[in-house]
Amino acid sequence: MYIRVLGSAAGGGFPQWNCNCPNCRQVRAGSPHHQRRTQSSIAVSADGTRWTLVNASPDILQQFQLFPGTWPKEGLRGCGIESIVLVDAQIDHTTGLYMLREKGSPWPVWCTDPVFEDLTRGNPILHLLEHYCGVARRDLPGNGASFHPEGSESLDWRALPLLSAAPPYSPHRNNPVSGDNVGLLIRDPASGKRVFYAPGLAEVDDAVFDAMAGSDCVMVDGTFWTDDEMIALGLSTKRARDIGHLAQSGPGGMIEQLGRLPRHVRRVLIHINNTNPILDDSSAQRAILAAAGIEVAFDGMEIAL
């Protein structure tokens, strides 16, 4: 099983276009300790040739240009991506669908019923695509049943409902339902290796922890370092948990949760907000992660299991 990190930042990317926080100032100034990042997305393959896209970032065109696995191989048009899996309906995970409208046939898009509702009502992007390539909607079961998206059919995919938040435009923004957000557990039957992917995760419940502990690699929410990060910077009145993210530090935080996993599990943080001090690889916070055996995802990162 092969995983390519197309984008590792949270919504807005790094640097964010209108942000003048210390991190964004440093990356614009050319700091060697700050690496530019696009908005979060990964591609998954069983053979390194045919790929499944997980989330369609607004930065998808840039990401595809930098990843030969997506380039057309023969004929005038083509793409190494054969289907799209959506873990939620957030703007930073779905806007890239607009950029893929030139496909000559309907895109197979795997999503839960609540996400399909969001993308046909609150933000009707799937209806808009019917005027272009069209969408072949595939039902992503939110009850843990296996599914097999095009491009990686030989892998066993399962979705776990997560405790997080629906988008602001969702009909159930203030009344969350199961399937608004899912984590993906992907297993290669040939090797038995597993990866768990959850870029938006507000709470590690028993089912999520069991999925993480049974995996060989976890790629999980790295959005904020502290729960009050945006408040302390004067950028928001909301805590990390209010918008569906578990901060890394503090009691019960992501560092503590990852520390409970078996030693062999590879730990990777992804979906990192531009304000998070771990984006400075010379920071004390980055040293804390290194001491805990936790990696920070970067654009172009490749994982083979």
Side-chain angles (χ1 to χ4, degrees):
M1 174 164 48
Y2 302 91
I3 301 161
R4 168 84 175 208
V5 176
L6 300 178
S8 53
F14 181 58
Q16 181 171 305
W17 66 277
N18 67 338
C19 185
N20 199 32
C21 73
N23 276 340
C24 290
R25 288 199 303 271
Q26 286 294 319
V27 74
R28 291 192 185 103
S31 165
H33 301 294
H34 296 74
Q35 181 175 340
R36 292 175 179 268
R37 288 169 163 84
T38 59
Q39 295 168 85
S40 78
S41 178
I42 64 172
V44 180
S45 175
D47 59 11
T49 301
R50 302 172 61 232
W51 295 85
T52 299
L53 178 68
V54 180
N55 298 329
S57 157
D59 302 314
I60 199 164
L61 298 185
Q62 177 183 346
Q63 294 167 351
F64 278 17
Q65 289 167 3
L66 296 174
F67 179 36
T70 66
W71 299 352
K73 301 298 189 297
E74 56 186 33
L76 291 177
R77 297 288 175 91
C79 183
I81 299 291
E82 297 191 15
S83 68
I84 302 166
V85 175
L86 301 176
V87 301
D88 56 40
Q90 298 287 350
I91 286 284
D92 54 324
H93 287 158
T94 59
T95 306
L97 291 171
Y98 287 115
M99 308 305 149
L100 302 180
R101 64 190 181 277
E102 296 95 348
K103 190 175 186 293
S105 59
W107 272 110
V109 174
W110 294 77
C111 62
T112 64
D113 287 341
V115 168
F116 184 73
E117 181 183 11
D118 289 347
L119 298 180
T120 52
R121 291 181 55 193
N123 177 24
I125 185 171
L126 299 185
H127 286 326
L128 181 145
L129 288 177
E130 292 301 331
H131 296 283
Y132 298 93
C133 61
V135 170
R137 191 263 169 126
R138 309 281 196 255
D139 180 34
L140 191 158
N143 59 1
S146 63
F147 64 101
H148 303 274
E150 296 84 346
S152 57
E153 295 94 337
S154 65
L155 301 179
D156 183 55
W157 295 60
R158 297 175 187 269
L160 281 72
L162 301 180
L163 295 171
S164 191
Y169 51 78
S170 171
H172 24 90
R173 169 68 171 183
N174 299 313
N175 185 26
V177 298
S178 180
D180 279 334
N181 301 267
V182 298
L184 298 174
L185 181 61
I186 310 169
R187 177 179 177 271
D188 183 354
S191 66
K193 299 290 186 178
R194 302 174 185 233
V195 63
F196 180 72
Y197 176 70
L201 183 57
E203 182 179 330
V204 179
D205 59 21
D206 290 344
V208 168
F209 181 77
D210 287 347
M212 292 168 60
S215 297
D216 298 278
C217 177
V218 297
M219 306 177 73
V220 292
D221 194 330
T223 310
F224 298 113
W225 180 256
T226 61
D227 190 50
D228 66 347
E229 188 170 306
M230 298 287 279
I231 297 173
L233 287 169
L235 296 173
S236 176
T237 60
K238 295 182 179 180
R239 294 181 174 273
R241 70 172 75 101
D242 296 332
I243 54 175
H245 299 287
L246 177 64
Q248 280 109 65
S249 63
M254 191 64 78
I255 295 173
E256 182 178 305
Q257 298 296 336
L258 293 176
R260 298 167 55 206
L261 298 177
R263 292 177 62 87
H264 75 277
V265 180
R266 184 174 179 181
R267 304 155 171 85
V268 180
L269 296 177
I270 196 166
H271 193 273
I272 305 148
N273 199 60
N274 59 81
T275 56
N276 193 328
I278 66 174
L279 288 173
D280 178 355
D281 62 23
S282 66
S283 66
Q285 292 85 353
R286 193 64 171 266
I288 290 171
L289 292 183
I294 301 171
E295 301 174 58
V296 177
F298 56 89
D299 291 22
M301 183 181 196
E302 295 183 340
I303 297 173
L305 295 173

